[in-house]
Amino acid sequence: MRLCFLILLCLAAALSSAFVISPPHMWTKLILTHHWPTTFCSMEHPACHPNISYWTLHGLWPDKGIDCNSSWHFNSSQIEDLLPDMKTSWPDLLNPLSASFWKYEWHKHGTCAAKAPSLNSQHKYFSKALELYHKVDLDSILKKFDITPSEKYYKLSQIEGVIENFYSVKPKIQCVHPSKNADFQILGQIEICFNPDFTLLDCEKQFTMETTSKGDWDNPVAVDKASGFSVCDHDMPVYYPPLP
């Protein structure tokens, strides 16, 4: 009888530890989002000057939670050593001399990503985003396989195929649809996804997580949708615009 009690006690401790390690409100996927400056600037931003000819970082987004800690204010002095890379790899296309874009990304997504010990500071969050951005090196991979800005149109399957074959995961590709009657779509944003341990993951993979909490953690994060971006149509030609 005593042996059974000890076994049950050990099982209870193990289950308790599992809940501590994997809290029910923890995000299960990170979305590394790149955007194409020419498309972004052509959409709605007259003050935006698309003089960048490579894919830049839009953000690193956990799949659950938005604005998780409004009291955790952005402080650029904590990422001072990262700023030279941030200005190149993660530029604010609207206000190049401002830190407002990074402040926005930290408040909306970084404070939620910080639920994980590996991302629980501003420096950890921004440095990991930059590390993943450089590791993926999306711009170079597309160029390597002849997916380059051009006046010609691509099939969406061509772009998807290059990414899937190289990284062995499915991306999420978003386009701008100029009008309801347009016979083409404009390449705008590409998402590459990661597990919590930062290994690559199919972006289409969904996780079921039950929770009884209130607030933002009840639903998967509605990822940043710059006005006009939506999932690309497989049956429509894709225009990958060069610099104007």
Side-chain angles (χ1 to χ4, degrees):
M1 187 72 178
R2 180 177 173 78
L3 180 60
C4 291
F5 175 77
L6 289 173
I7 292 173
L8 289 172
L9 191 63
C10 290
L11 285 172
L15 286 172
S16 176
S17 297
F19 282 115
V20 171
I21 294 170
S22 302
H25 302 164
M26 183 64 180
W27 47 265
T28 56
K29 177 169 64 177
L30 282 172
I31 304 163
L32 185 73
T33 306
H34 309 70
H35 55 190
W36 182 240
T38 302
T39 301
F40 175 84
C41 289
S42 69
M43 290 166 57
E44 55 186 273
H45 311 295
C48 182
H49 300 288
N51 58 350
I52 299 175
S53 59
Y54 54 87
W55 286 84
T56 60
L57 188 55
H58 186 169
L60 182 65
W61 307 335
D63 64 341
K64 290 180 73 70
I66 294 175
D67 295 323
C68 294
N69 187 346
S70 59
S71 65
W72 198 347
H73 300 299
F74 174 77
N75 183 349
S76 62
S77 67
Q78 295 182 14
I79 58 169
E80 192 168 353
D81 61 312
L82 304 176
L83 293 180
D85 193 7
M86 297 275 287
K87 292 174 182 177
T88 301
S89 303
W90 200 340
D92 185 334
L93 298 173
L94 297 177
N95 301 293
L97 301 180
S98 169
S100 59
F101 180 36
W102 306 326
K103 176 181 178 181
Y104 172 83
E105 290 294 311
W106 167 251
H107 286 160
K108 186 169 185 179
H109 301 293
T111 55
C112 301
K115 294 282 183 179
S118 56
L119 299 172
N120 65 358
S121 73
Q122 291 182 41
H123 195 277
K124 287 182 181 179
Y125 171 72
F126 286 105
S127 63
K128 179 57 70 172
L130 291 168
E131 176 190 329
L132 295 176
Y133 169 79
H134 290 301
K135 181 183 291 185
V136 167
D137 199 11
L138 178 65
D139 193 75
S140 294
I141 298 308
L142 291 175
K143 289 176 179 175
K144 179 179 179 179
F145 293 96
D146 298 321
I147 303 295
T148 58
S150 171
E151 294 300 332
K152 71 177 183 180
Y153 290 164
Y154 293 93
K155 292 181 179 179
L156 181 59
S157 59
Q158 289 177 273
I159 303 170
E160 281 184 326
V162 163
I163 296 172
E164 289 180 28
N165 290 335
F166 188 84
Y167 300 108
S168 298
V169 291
K170 292 181 179 294
K172 181 177 179 182
I173 303 179
Q174 297 176 321
C175 292
V176 174
H177 297 83
S179 69
K180 290 182 178 179
N181 298 322
D183 57 0
F184 68 96
Q185 55 195 335
I186 305 170
L187 184 62
Q189 194 156 265
I190 297 178
E191 298 175 0
I192 306 290
C193 298
F194 293 84
N195 286 296
D197 64 357
F198 307 116
T199 55
L200 287 163
L201 173 73
D202 282 348
C203 283
E204 294 177 356
K205 188 170 183 179
Q206 299 293 327
F207 296 88
T208 300
M209 297 182 68
E210 295 183 358
T211 175
T212 57
S213 71
K214 302 297 182 183
D216 290 329
W217 285 98
D218 287 339
N219 298 305
V221 62
V223 297
D224 281 3
K225 293 180 179 177
S227 177
F229 275 148
S230 60
V231 176
C232 301
D233 187 331
H234 273 87
D235 298 322
M236 190 176 288
V238 177
Y239 177 48
Y240 184 3
L243 284 173

